[in-house]
Amino acid sequence: MVALSRLSAPRSPSYLLPSLLALALFTLLFLYKVDDFVTSTKTMAGHNLEPTPWHIFPAKSFDDETRQSRAYKIIQCSYLSCPYFNRSIMKRPRFQTNKLAAQCPEFFSHIHRDLAPWVKSGITENQVMEAKNFAAFRIVIFQGRLYLDPYYACFQSRMMVTIWGFIQLLRKYPGMVPDVDLMFDCMDKPILNRTERQSNPVPLFRYCTTREHFDIPFPDWSFWGWSEINIKPWSEEFPDIKKGSQAKRWAAKQPRAFWKGNPDVVSPVRLELLQCNDSRKWGAQIMRQDWVQEAREGFEASKLSNQCTYR
Ligand SMILES: *[C@@H]1O[C@H](CO)[C@@H](O)[C@H](O)[C@H]1NC(C)=O
Ligand SMILES: *[C@@H]1O[C@H](CO)[C@@H](O)[C@H](O)[C@H]1NC(C)=O
Ligand SMILES: *[C@@H]1O[C@H](CO)[C@@H](O)[C@H](O)[C@H]1NC(C)=O
């Protein structure tokens, strides 16, 4: 990044660093919880730290409709809106494995690492069914079409937006997405301990994992937008941040590292970070994000594009 900004214009203000800081904040937002020690760690809409099951997926009521339209709606899809699909899009070429593997970009090495526990044994149906015990939903992709089995309600709009991501993937790469059967949990904390489950690894997807867990990481859903906390889809949010970062000249920005987030999330690293809040000694400003207050005020003060005032 530094090299890039030097190449383009050595003296002109660079939006890259503020954008990076904003991006870091964005990532931290993803792991947010509300400052509430008394009733353990809670978010506005419940808590997303405990393992699933959290609460059963609520059944939709169709009582107020005619039987015919009710049946039609249930068949269409009960929980997510998919009012119609375009048959000509559905007719897609069969999945082709040729050439693709040879051209995999470098980041595929991470996928190989994440799936390493199953490289020799393969994934058995029993293992997938065991993963179901921890899953909030199951996604099956068969011949380019997505099938969903929701088990438990997910935190805020996580499930909907995650599935939306899969649908975009299918749209964008017709005929290139192979048949898969995925169990998915949407709470933050990984739960499948590698030491304890060494003999029988369980393949479960979620947004976070560690080296000590089998949980398979999946991209952060909020890049497709997080309406509850005023984060737009990344394609809109990113230009906004870029624009925000240009509002102040580079030289006029405050010369310090800036971090804003919720430290009360059972994370020792974040608690340690609080001790670095000294702009003279460390050149750092560490700010506490109060989600309850932000929620009350419509998340105006936590707008990412307004926080590019540091260099
Ligand atoms: C369905 O998809 C095809 C191919 O993308 C497109 O040409 C056509 O206009 C679409 N039909 C409708 C009704 O949207
Ligand atoms: C995994 O399980 C082992 C054995 O019970 C335990 O010592 C270890 O702390 C656990 N790891 C995590 C990350 O919970
Ligand atoms: C860090 O210092 C700033 C400036 O003194 C202050 O406004 C802020 O509340 C401090 N952050 C924390 C987490 O105490």
Side-chain angles (χ1 to χ4, degrees):
M1 287 302 190
V2 172
L4 266 180
S5 55
R6 277 207 190 119
L7 272 181
S8 51
R11 271 162 210 275
S12 74
S14 163
Y15 58 77
L16 285 169
L17 190 57
S19 301
L20 270 182
L21 284 174
L23 187 62
L25 180 70
F26 183 78
T27 314
L28 292 162
L29 280 171
F30 153 59
L31 280 168
Y32 85 97
K33 285 99 202 171
V34 158
D35 176 0
D36 187 350
F37 270 125
V38 187
T39 48
S40 79
T41 314
K42 280 202 169 177
T43 58
M44 295 166 273
H47 56 83
N48 53 348
L49 288 173
E50 302 294 313
T52 303
W54 179 24
H55 56 259
I56 304 277
F57 204 81
K60 267 215 168 168
S61 154
F62 297 102
D63 293 344
D64 53 337
E65 298 171 50
T66 65
R67 274 177 60 201
Q68 201 181 2
S69 75
R70 176 173 170 241
Y72 179 66
K73 275 200 178 165
I74 291 174
I75 290 166
Q76 238 182 1
C77 48
S78 302
Y79 299 108
L80 296 158
S81 124
C82 43
Y84 108 107
F85 69 88
N86 185 335
R87 290 219 165 256
S88 64
I89 291 178
M90 297 312 293
K91 279 190 213 124
R92 43 190 54 146
R94 296 181 69 87
F95 176 62
Q96 291 168 13
T97 46
N98 60 354
K99 293 180 287 181
L100 282 176
Q103 300 166 357
C104 284
E106 205 273 326
F107 60 77
F108 269 56
S109 63
H110 300 288
I111 298 166
H112 290 194
R113 182 200 57 200
D114 296 335
L115 298 180
W118 298 275
V119 100
K120 280 193 191 129
S121 59
I123 295 173
T124 65
E125 195 180 340
N126 277 348
Q127 285 172 330
V128 175
M129 284 308 124
E130 198 168 336
K132 185 180 172 183
N133 296 326
F134 308 97
F137 58 95
R138 177 185 192 173
I139 280 178
V140 173
I141 292 172
F142 182 65
Q143 294 185 354
R145 194 179 287 192
L146 184 142
Y147 300 83
L148 168 74
D149 213 354
Y151 305 132
Y152 294 101
C154 283
F155 179 71
Q156 296 188 343
S157 54
R158 279 185 175 183
M159 185 189 298
M160 186 195 75
V161 187
T162 298
I163 291 155
W164 194 356
F166 274 104
I167 291 170
Q168 285 191 25
L169 184 78
L170 290 170
R171 283 242 167 110
K172 214 165 173 179
Y173 300 100
M176 291 170 73
V177 180
D179 296 346
V180 286
D181 186 347
L182 307 175
M183 291 295 177
F184 212 108
D185 188 26
C186 41
M187 298 311 205
D188 285 349
K189 276 203 155 178
I191 52 170
L192 301 167
N193 184 318
R194 277 193 189 238
T195 317
E196 287 170 3
R197 299 177 172 272
Q198 214 163 12
S199 58
N200 187 26
V202 170
L204 179 70
F205 287 80
R206 80 168 68 242
Y207 308 109
C208 315
T209 193
T210 77
R211 275 187 215 106
E212 280 103 56
H213 291 93
F214 281 126
D215 303 63
I216 306 164
F218 185 83
D220 177 357
W221 61 289
S222 55
F223 280 88
W224 291 292
W226 188 346
S227 57
E228 288 92 343
I229 61 165
N230 204 22
I231 288 188
K232 291 180 255 184
W234 193 234
S235 55
E236 295 168 35
E237 191 69 49
F238 185 53
D240 256 16
I241 293 171
K242 243 170 146 172
K243 216 170 131 199
S245 76
Q246 285 157 352
K248 223 173 193 186
R249 280 182 314 117
W250 179 248
K253 295 189 186 203
Q254 296 187 46
R256 61 180 76 136
F258 177 76
W259 185 92
K260 188 170 179 182
N262 181 5
D264 307 316
V265 288
V266 207
S267 161
V269 173
R270 290 196 193 186
L271 290 177
E272 269 183 56
L273 187 63
L274 290 181
Q275 291 167 22
C276 307
N277 191 23
D278 190 325
S279 53
R280 288 229 177 104
K281 194 167 171 197
W282 301 110
Q285 185 171 340
I286 312 301
M287 299 300 284
R288 191 177 270 276
Q289 172 82 341
D290 183 338
W291 284 108
V292 172
Q293 191 185 339
E294 284 303 321
R296 238 183 269 129
E297 292 163 12
F299 302 98
E300 274 301 312
S302 57
K303 240 186 186 166
L304 296 178
S305 53
N306 290 347
Q307 298 182 42
C308 307
T309 52
Y310 304 86
R311 61 177 155 95

